[in-house]
């Protein structure tokens, strides 16, 4: 993860929340009042976001002491302590909500990813994300997928060519689109084409693309059609794939399954903050 970029992001998140100052904690507690705050898991799953805990608290107050009890990717259970913060009560209360919001989302993504990764265990298929991330949080969302045992798809529109149905409709055909793209990109850039029919699959194979996505195809169709795809072309399945059907898709022999719901509709991981005054710190 890019720590420089992350620091800038966190600063903006705190500016949004704190504004000109935390009226609640500033009017209740003098700066010299010290306390302790412990993040505690309220469910079982995969934790993600240790760097958020460490870097985020230091941005609000560099004198806050942070003790992490778990690492990213660790399986935690309800009641486990995640991190302990010691320092000014004002600082602890200022940082609490932003830190919780982020690590709850990241841990939710990591937990959901890990669940589907376990469901395809025993196959050679890998689980990956999509661009259906929360705007502004893509770096964190994709990091959380990795911590859950998944892989990342392209980072954005800029690092790979992906020709979807609308691109092909404008271009006229897969052959024309791929030919044009190859004339205008560097040799290190991969080309992925989305197909929905056997005819499109044959055209993509003939165009010698790098990756073929079977979009909204059944596992039976994929297993039957995949035999014409050479080993040099990576295969991917996407669209209408659920936890209940994911093993069937993996068993069809695709290299990757991409799942948008890992990031676009994730359930936040439940974490609470337990606080106490402690002027002996």
């Amino acid at each position: 993860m890019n720590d420089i970029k992350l620091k800038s992001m966190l600063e903006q998140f705190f500016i949004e929340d704190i504004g000109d100052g935390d009226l609640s904690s500033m009017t209740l507690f003098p700066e010299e009042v010290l306390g302790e705050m412990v993040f505690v898991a309220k469910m079982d799953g995969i934790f993600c976001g240790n760097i958020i805990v460490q870097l985020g608290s230091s941005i609000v107050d560099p004198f806050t002491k942070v003790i992490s009890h778990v690492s990213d990717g660790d399986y935690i259970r309800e009641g486990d302590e995640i991190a302990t913060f010691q320092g000014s009560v004002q600082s602890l209360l200022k940082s609490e909500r932003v830190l919780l919001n982020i690590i709850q989302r990241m841990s939710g993504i990591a937990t959901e990813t890990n669940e589907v990764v376990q469901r395809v265990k025993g196959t050679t298929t890998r689980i990956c994300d999509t661009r259906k991330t929360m705007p502004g949080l893509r770096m964190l969302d994709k990091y959380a997928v990795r911590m859950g045992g998944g892989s990342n798809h392209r980072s954005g529109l800029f690092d790979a060519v992906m020709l979807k149905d609308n691109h092909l409709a404008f271009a006229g055909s897969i052959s024309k689109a791929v030919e044009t793209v190859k004339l205008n990109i560097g040799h290190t850039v991969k080309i992925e084409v989305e197909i929905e029919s056997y005819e499109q699959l044959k055209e993509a194979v003939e165009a010698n693309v790098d990756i073929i996505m079977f979009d909204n195809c059944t596992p039976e169709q994929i297993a039957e059609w995949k035999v014409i795809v050479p080993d040099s072309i990576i295969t991917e399945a996407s669209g209408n794939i659920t936890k209940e059907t994911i093993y069937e898709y993996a068993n069809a022999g695709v290299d990757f399954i991409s799942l948008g719901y890992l990031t676009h509709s994730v359930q936040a991981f439940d974490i609470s903050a337990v606080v106490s005054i402690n002027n002996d710190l």
Side-chain angles (χ1 to χ4, degrees):
M1 194 181 302
N2 185 335
D3 291 358
I4 299 173
K5 182 178 178 181
L6 178 60
K7 183 180 180 182
S8 176
M9 290 167 60
L10 289 172
E11 287 174 344
Q12 291 305 310
F13 298 158
F14 283 119
I15 288 171
E16 175 187 61
D17 199 39
I18 298 171
D20 293 330
D22 176 4
L23 286 177
S24 303
S25 60
M26 290 168 62
T27 53
L28 272 174
F29 306 105
E31 289 185 11
E32 61 270 18
V33 175
L34 304 178
E36 184 173 272
M37 178 171 68
V38 182
F39 283 175
V40 180
K42 298 185 70 178
M43 59 189 294
D44 300 348
I46 304 296
F47 171 72
C48 184
N50 194 43
I51 192 171
I52 306 299
V53 166
Q54 296 285 342
L55 183 57
S57 60
S58 69
I59 289 172
V60 172
D61 186 347
F63 296 105
T64 298
K65 181 180 179 181
V66 184
I67 305 165
S68 293
H69 305 299
V70 294
S71 301
D72 288 352
D74 283 355
Y75 186 84
I76 57 176
R77 298 189 180 277
E78 181 179 358
D80 285 352
E81 294 186 353
I82 294 170
T84 299
F85 306 80
Q86 297 173 338
S88 163
V89 167
Q90 277 195 29
S91 299
L92 299 183
L93 293 173
K94 284 178 185 177
S95 64
E96 173 192 353
R97 178 43 52 195
V98 170
L99 297 181
L100 281 175
N101 284 349
I102 300 172
I103 67 170
Q104 284 181 303
R105 177 178 174 83
M106 293 177 72
S107 297
I109 292 171
T111 298
E112 186 67 25
T113 301
N114 187 256
E115 182 177 343
V116 291
V117 166
Q118 294 305 316
R119 286 178 181 251
V120 301
K121 199 170 183 179
T123 73
T124 57
T125 301
R126 297 169 65 183
I127 302 298
C128 64
D129 51 31
T130 70
R131 283 171 47 241
K132 296 175 182 176
T133 56
M134 182 64 69
L137 298 181
R138 182 167 294 172
M139 181 175 73
L140 304 185
D141 284 0
K142 284 183 170 284
Y143 175 80
V145 168
R146 297 198 301 274
M147 291 303 101
S151 301
N152 292 148
H153 208 284
R154 58 177 177 164
S155 295
L157 297 173
F158 55 87
D159 61 337
V161 172
M162 186 169 177
L163 303 177
K164 300 173 73 68
D165 53 355
N166 287 337
H167 297 98
L168 301 176
F170 279 125
S173 71
I174 290 174
S175 302
K176 289 180 181 178
V178 173
E179 182 181 2
T180 301
V181 165
K182 284 184 175 181
L183 292 172
N184 291 287
I185 60 170
H187 66 286
T188 64
V189 180
K190 290 189 175 182
I191 301 174
E192 178 168 8
V193 172
E194 178 183 283
I195 66 97
E196 294 182 322
S197 69
Y198 188 68
E199 289 69 29
Q200 285 184 320
L201 174 62
K202 289 192 294 183
E203 192 176 358
V205 170
E206 290 170 4
N208 194 30
V209 300
D210 300 294
I211 309 161
I212 291 175
M213 175 196 284
F214 294 89
D215 187 44
N216 292 308
C217 297
T218 67
E220 293 76 21
Q221 286 174 322
I222 294 172
E224 181 182 349
W225 296 354
K226 189 179 176 295
V227 294
I228 72 165
V229 181
D231 292 340
S232 59
I233 296 179
I234 296 169
T235 56
E236 176 185 342
S238 189
N240 296 317
I241 301 174
T242 66
K243 284 186 283 191
E244 290 69 35
T245 62
I246 197 164
Y247 187 80
E248 296 174 50
Y249 279 92
N251 213 33
V254 289
D255 299 307
F256 290 89
I257 295 175
S258 53
L259 302 169
Y261 75 82
L262 293 180
T263 54
H264 72 54
S265 54
V266 66
Q267 177 184 345
F269 192 93
D270 199 359
I271 300 171
S272 65
V274 180
V275 301
S276 60
I277 296 292
N278 189 347
N279 280 308
D280 295 326
L281 293 173

